[in-house]
Amino acid sequence: MDEVDGFEVRQAKTSDVPGIQELLEPWVNRRILLGKERVTLYETVQEFVVAESAGRLVGCGALHVMWEDLGEIRTLIVADDWLHRGVGGAVVDRLERNARMLGLSRLFCLTFEVPFFSRRGFETIGEQVVDPDVYSQLLRSPDEGVAEFLDLAHVKPNTLGNTRMLKQL
């Protein structure tokens, strides 16, 4: 656990899933993030870290492995009343640490929050950021995040206004 300014960041547990879904709902309603079924959150709970203060979840984020050296930061959320208090940065720091422990050397994100991620070393990327052999393997993935990373046409409606960013760890 990482204790920071009135909140702690820790690995998520299955009992956190309702709280993660509660954090997600306002952002889905604003059409900033795509909704996730509760079953999907349970299936991926091991990817999540949460920020908690006084028993309440105030932020979360997930690290999804895409390839041997590549992961994606997903579902980064901070409760409105906790914005600009270091929660998002602390969650990203923990996800980066988890990525390094897994042996990843690059992190991808698809975001509207370009300044936030730029301050953390992420850079805007172009279309082809993996070699052709890896690209052909990634095309086989059913994961929408992989399709967003590859900038495939069928996910363009999901990515409008978002920026694809990458960080070398």
Side-chain angles (χ1 to χ4, degrees):
M1 286 189 266
D2 305 324
E3 183 79 36
V4 185
D5 297 325
F7 64 93
E8 67 176 353
V9 178
R10 60 170 173 77
Q11 285 299 132
K13 302 178 282 193
T14 56
S15 59
D16 294 319
V17 166
I20 292 169
Q21 195 164 41
E22 188 177 311
L23 282 170
L24 182 58
E25 216 44 50
W27 298 96
V28 171
N29 292 338
R30 292 181 218 160
R31 296 182 179 219
I32 294 172
L33 293 174
L34 294 175
K36 293 186 188 312
E37 297 294 333
R38 190 169 286 201
V39 66
T40 302
L41 293 173
Y42 280 115
E43 289 172 343
T44 59
V45 72
Q46 71 279 0
E47 297 181 355
F48 278 86
V49 299
V50 294
E52 182 178 37
S53 178
R56 174 183 168 223
L57 295 190
V58 297
C60 67
L63 171 66
H64 181 76
V65 175
M66 299 170 85
W67 197 249
E68 68 179 323
D69 65 333
L70 178 65
E72 179 185 8
I73 291 182
R74 296 182 170 181
T75 320
L76 181 62
I77 306 168
V78 176
D80 285 337
D81 57 333
W82 280 82
L83 289 170
H84 310 292
R85 294 173 64 181
V87 174
V91 168
V92 170
D93 288 347
R94 178 65 177 263
L95 293 172
E96 285 184 13
R97 203 162 69 234
N98 290 356
R100 285 184 183 95
M101 287 190 306
L102 287 169
L104 302 178
S105 59
R106 300 183 299 163
L107 280 179
F108 166 74
C109 69
L110 180 69
T111 185
F112 289 109
E113 301 296 331
V114 174
F116 172 85
F117 282 99
S118 292
R119 286 191 303 273
R120 283 156 185 80
F122 285 78
E123 297 177 354
T124 302
I125 57 172
E127 291 187 17
Q128 192 70 24
V129 293
V130 293
D131 68 46
D133 291 338
V134 173
Y135 185 89
S136 68
Q137 291 291 320
L138 288 173
L139 279 175
R140 298 175 186 170
S141 174
D143 187 88
E144 288 295 305
V146 173
E148 291 165 352
F149 172 73
L150 297 175
D151 204 25
L152 301 180
H154 76 274
V155 293
K156 294 285 189 190
N158 298 347
T159 63
L160 287 176
N162 279 290
T163 300
R164 297 164 64 245
M165 301 184 81
L166 192 69
K167 179 178 182 174
Q168 300 290 330
L169 296 178

